[in-house]
Every structure is written in structure tokens, then in C-alpha cells.
């Protein structure tokens, strides 16, 4: 085994990798398809730095969120600042908005393809460095923006033919709604404290809401008969959620209301959602997001409503690969030039460079070798054509062209080579 190995939970992405998540070409293809849809919906791309001041995350995600408690890659730089590799992209985007105010110029719908870093336990669909594609819609407070965002997420998965997915939907109301509910939930769980999981016992003091989506069996048992959030919503919040559901119905988008769905970060309010797929096992969520109307102000900006979601690219690729929906991409060479005489090597070289300048993908063998060996190389390059120059071709200023797909052969004058190749590949 080589001395240096990539870190656990990180992956090298290289051309033609067997696994879809490691194959940069399949990634790029999916990315290209997504960008097209995102642009059609009016989103423009943003990219923020890989590192931020740690406060950008601790002050927004919530001190008690999984990310802040145990998942951040934090270090002190040489200037003594605490910096963090970004574990999520929303807070950096909001930081950027507040810093540059690009929203004033009308930029309010953004998308990103970006890497995130979280120190969690690596497993299928869970990495320490992973990629997210996501959107943010700023300055639209109405329920239509929530549905616009959700409909886009659904459309993306449909366009990629991801197969059966489930849209889980809930509302977590306003901060006041939640405060009332948290009080009731805490009162309900306090007497059962001993039966809760260790993590949830801690959450009882710090982040009661998160107990709701705990996967621990004992927590789910303790939650039986617990108060439900929807009973604690103010009328306005209820009306808002009803409107979200109505608009989804109108678009014939199916959803399941999941009263226990809460998101892991502190900044969410009202609509929250997740889209799950069947093929991912424990890491079933591909897309997750919701509304976050207070974050912009909390980060020093104006009062500004916002809605967004993020999709894990690796989970997306795993789902697609599971269903054979992203087969390896062929990387074809148009013509592979084969010199069989010393005098032909420079001619092949010159032709190769010339063909490439004309947009033709040409490769060659740089020294004279047996024809069998050179044809084998042509095969490795997945060439459509082989252009062979031997003694006879040299004398007649010709190239013997072999079509490697159907094995037909033809002699072409060297000065006609480009035209001929073009006619064969278009
Ligand atoms: P989970 O409950 O699976 O940890 P999360 O709530 O932490 O997810 P978000 O912060 O909402 O996830 O991130 C949005 C999406 O990013 C997830 O739905 C998932 O597709 C992807 N994602 C999150 N964490 C990871 C990870 N460690 N590795 C790969 N993809 C991830
Ligand atoms: Mg997580």
C-alpha cells in the first residue's frame, strides 16, 4: 500500500473512475444538466471561499447543532483567527450578501455547486468532504417562493429520472410558535428523561426540538403521545402553511406532511422539507431545505426573507448509479495516427497538431512500433479511425484510414486528411 492515502471520507475524482461518485466526467455531465434547469428558472451562480471566520457558522447554525457541536473543521490561522472550512453554504452566501449587497442590483436568486466539509462518520452517502448543489431565493416572503423552490427540487430529480422519491413537508412556524411548543415538549419529556438516549438527554436542556428527529429507538418510544408542533402554531402560521400545500396541490406535486420533521440548523422557520429516495439506505435524504427569514438580519443585514435548499451530489450520483442512470462516459478520439516508418513519424506529428487545430481529436504513437501494438493503443484511446502511414503511403503521400468501428479501409491523400476525417465524424 502506498505511504500516502487520501483522508478518510474524502474522494479523488478522476476520469473514467469505476464508481460514479469518483468519476469526474459523470459528475460534470450531471452538473451540466442541473445548471441548465437552474438557469431556466432564473438562478445565477455564486461561489464563496472555502474558509470563513468560525463565527459565520457558530452564530448562525446554533451552538447546539450537530454541525457546530461535532462536525466542523476548525483551526487557528497564523494571525490567530479561528477559521472553519465551510460545513454548509447558506451562511457564507448570506455573509456575502450583507458584505456586498448584490441584492440591491437585483441578484436575488442564486445557485451554487460547492464543496462542504464535515467531520462525521464516513459511510455510504456520508463523506467528510462532499459536494452540494443548492439554491437560495432572497427577498420573497410569500408562500409562493417556498413552492417555487420545492417545485424546482422536484423537477430536478424528475429530469434526472431519479425514480421514486418522497417529499416530506412540515412547518415549524415562527420563533414564538416554537417557543410555546418547546415549553410543552420539554414538560412532556422531562419526567421521561431517564429513558431518553444519551444525546437526547443533553438536548433536553439545549435543543429539545432536535429530539423529534432523533433516530434512536428509545427516543421515538418516549415521544409517543407527545405534543405536536402544529397545535402550537399561531393562526397566521397555519394559514401560511395551508397556502403552501394548496399551491403544491395545484402543481400536482405529491407530498407527505411529516409533523416531526425539523431541520438541524437554528435559522429555519415556517416551511421545511426533505426529499428522500429509496435506494440510499440510512442516508436517504437527497435534498433538504426550508425558509430562513431571520438569518439575513441576524448576520447584520436588513430584514429580508429567504428560502433555500441543498442537494448532496454524491447521494444523487449514488442513486443514479444504483439504477444504471449514469453509465460511464466514452472518451473517444477521432483519429489515431500510426507511423510504420521513421520517415512517417514527423508527418504524423505535423498532421496531429494540424487536425487538433481544426477541432479534431487526434492522437498518435510517437515512435515506430509493430502495427498490432499501435492498434492496441488506438483501442485504448477509443479511436474511431486509425490513420496508418507506411512505406507505400509515404511514397504516394497518402494515409490508409481504417475505420475501427466497422473495420473498413480507405486510402486518402494526406492533403485531404482533414476533410475526410471531418466527414467521417460529423
Ligand atoms: P443528514 O441528516 O443526512 O446528516 P443534514 O441534515 O446534515 O443531513 P443538510 O445540512 O441539510 O444535511 O445538507 C443537505 C444535503 O447535503 C443532505 O440532504 C445530503 O444530501 C447532503 N449531505 C449532508 N451531509 C452530507 C455528508 N456528510 N456527505 C454527503 N452528503 C451530505
Ligand atoms: Mg448531518
Amino acid at each position: 500500500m502506498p505511504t500516502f492515502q487520501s483522508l478518510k471520507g474524502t474522494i479523488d475524482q478522476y476520469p473514467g473512475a469505476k464508481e460514479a461518485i469518483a468519476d469526474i466526467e459523470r459528475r460534470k455531465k450531471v452538473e451540466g444538466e442541473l445548471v441548465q434547469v437552474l438557469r431556466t428558472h432564473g438562478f445565477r451562480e455564486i461561489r464563496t471561499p472555502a474558509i470563513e471566520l468560525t463565527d459565520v457558522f457558530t452564530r448562525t447554525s446554533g451552538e447546539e447543532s450537530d454541525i457546530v457541536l461535532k462536525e466542523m473543521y476548525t483551526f487557528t490561522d497564523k494571525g490567530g483567527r479561528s477559521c472553519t472550512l465551510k460545513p454548509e453554504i447558506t451562511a457564507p452566501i448570506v455573509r456575502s450578501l450583507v458584505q456586498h449587497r448584490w441584492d440591491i442590483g437585483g441578484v436575488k436568486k442564486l445557485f451554487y455547486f460547492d464543496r462542504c466539509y464535515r467531520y462525521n462518520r464516513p459511510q455510504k452517502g456520508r463523506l467528510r468532504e462532499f459536494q452540494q448543489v443548492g439554491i437560495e431565493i432572497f427577498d420573497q416572503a410569500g408562500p409562493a417562493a417556498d413552492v417555487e423552490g420545492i417545485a424546482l427540487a422536484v423537477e430536478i430529480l424528475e429530469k434526472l429520472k431519479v425514480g421514486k422519491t418522497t417529499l416530506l413537508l412540515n412547518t415549524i412556524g415562527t420563533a414564538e410558535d416554537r417557543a410555546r411548543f418547546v415549553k410543552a415538549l420539554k414538560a412532556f419529556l422531562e419526567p421521561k428523561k431517564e429513558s431518553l438516549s444519551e444525546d437526547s438527554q443533553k438536548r433536553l436542556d439545549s435543543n429539545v426540538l432536535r429530539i423529534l428527529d432523533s433516530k434512536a429507538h428509545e427516543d421515538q418510544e418516549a415521544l409517543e403521545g407527545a405534543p405536536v408542533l402544529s397545535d402550537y402554531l399561531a393562526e397566521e402560521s397555519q394559514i401560511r402553511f395551508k397556502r403552501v400545500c394548496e399551491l403544491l396541490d395545484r402543481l400536482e406535486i405529491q407530498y407527505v406532511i411529516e409533523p416531526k420533521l425539523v431541520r438541524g440548523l437554528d435559522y429555519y422557520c415556517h416551511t421545511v422539507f426533505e426529499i428522500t429516495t429509496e435506494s440510499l439506505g440510512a442516508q436517504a435524504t437527497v435534498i433538504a431545505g426550508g425558509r430562513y427569514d431571520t438569518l439575513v438580519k441576524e448576520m447584520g443585514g436588513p430584514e429580508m426573507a429567504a428560502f433555500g435548499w441543498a442537494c448532496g451530489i454524491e447521494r444523487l450520483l449514488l442513486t443514479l448509479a444504483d439504477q444504471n442512470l449514469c453509465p460511464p462516459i466514452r472518451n473517444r478520439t477521432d483519429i489515431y495516427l500510426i507511423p510504420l516508418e521513421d520517415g512517417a513519424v514527423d508527418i504524423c506529428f505535423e498532421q496531429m497538431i494540424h487536425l487538433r487545430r481544426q477541432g479534431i481529436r487526434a492522437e498518435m504513437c510517437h515512435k515506430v512500433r509493430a502495427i498490432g501494438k499501435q492498434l492496441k493503443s488506438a483501442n485504448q484511446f477509443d479511436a474511431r479511425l486509425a490513420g496508418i502511414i507506411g512505406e507505400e503511403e509515404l511514397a504516394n503521400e497518402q494515409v490508409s484510414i481504417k475505420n475501427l468501428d466497422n473495420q473498413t479501409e480507405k486510402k486518402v491523400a494526406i492533403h485531404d486528411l482533414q476533410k475526410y476525417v471531418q466527414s467521417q465524424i460529423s
Side-chain angles (χ1 to χ4, degrees), residues 196 211-225 260:
L196 292 174
I211 301 178
L212 287 184
D213 74 345
S214 157
K215 290 183 181 89
H217 169 73
E218 59 268 39
D219 293 341
Q220 287 308 320
E221 221 161 64
L223 281 167
E224 260 170 52
K260 281 199 263 181

Side-chain angles (χ1 to χ4, degrees), residues 66-67 71 118 120 126:
D66 282 354
I67 287 184
E71 296 180 347
R118 294 185 195 173
N120 45 28
R126 192 175 292 288

Side-chain angles (χ1 to χ4, degrees), residues 118 120 125-127 130 132 215 263 285-288 310-312 315:
R118 294 185 195 173
N120 45 28
R126 192 175 292 288
L127 293 150
F130 60 99
Q132 283 186 341
K215 290 183 181 89
R263 303 284 307 130
T285 307
V286 257
I287 301 186
C311 167
R315 291 192 194 174

Side-chain angles (χ1 to χ4, degrees), residues 181-359:
F181 170 66
V182 161
K183 212 167 140 195
L185 185 62
K186 205 169 166 177
F188 175 85
L189 287 173
E190 201 72 65
K192 305 179 172 202
K193 187 169 180 176
E194 299 305 311
S195 63
L196 292 174
S197 71
E198 207 176 306
D199 273 348
S200 287
Q201 290 193 20
K202 281 187 218 139
R203 289 179 186 131
L204 202 50
D205 295 317
S206 56
N207 196 354
V208 189
L209 220 50
R210 279 291 270 170
I211 301 178
L212 287 184
D213 74 345
S214 157
K215 290 183 181 89
H217 169 73
E218 59 268 39
D219 293 341
Q220 287 308 320
E221 221 161 64
L223 281 167
E224 260 170 52
V228 252
L229 214 164
S230 54
D231 292 338
Y232 292 79
L233 295 177
E235 200 184 344
E236 248 173 74
S237 303
Q238 287 179 29
I239 292 170
R240 193 183 188 289
F241 187 56
K242 219 171 130 214
R243 185 80 187 120
V244 168
C245 296
E246 273 167 18
L247 286 172
L248 286 169
D249 292 338
R250 215 184 157 96
L251 296 177
E252 293 182 9
I253 293 173
Q254 316 263 318
Y255 54 87
V256 176
I257 294 178
E258 173 50 71
K260 281 199 263 181
L261 179 69
V262 290
R263 303 284 307 130
L265 306 175
D266 268 6
Y267 51 63
Y268 286 105
C269 63
H270 293 299
T271 311
V272 291
F273 78 101
E274 286 191 9
I275 302 181
T276 59
T277 72
E278 276 173 358
S279 63
L280 283 172
Q283 274 62 246
T285 307
V286 257
I287 301 186
R291 179 158 283 284
Y292 54 96
D293 290 345
T294 51
L295 186 60
V296 178
K297 184 147 191 229
E298 267 163 35
M299 292 190 81
E303 188 126 358
M304 192 185 298
F307 182 90
W309 53 251
C311 167
I313 301 269
E314 288 79 12
R315 291 192 194 174
L316 197 57
L317 285 166
L318 283 167
T319 319
L320 292 173
D322 260 9
Q323 301 166 77
N324 275 329
L325 286 171
C326 61
I329 294 162
R330 280 182 89 168
N331 181 42
R332 298 212 78 173
T333 295
D334 295 321
I335 183 164
Y336 191 83
L337 297 166
I338 296 179
L340 294 178
E341 295 286 328
D342 283 337
V345 174
D346 284 356
I347 297 177
C348 283
F349 184 71
E350 186 191 334
Q351 286 301 319
M352 177 181 76
I353 301 292
H354 174 68
L355 290 170
R356 285 180 182 168
R357 284 181 181 149
Q358 306 307 314

Side-chain angles (χ1 to χ4, degrees), residues 26-41:
R26 278 184 267 181
R27 248 178 214 266
K28 285 279 180 191
K29 183 160 178 274
V30 170
E31 202 173 302
E33 289 167 2
L34 293 180
V35 167
Q36 241 181 3
V37 185
L38 290 162
R39 288 203 186 282
T40 306
H41 284 252

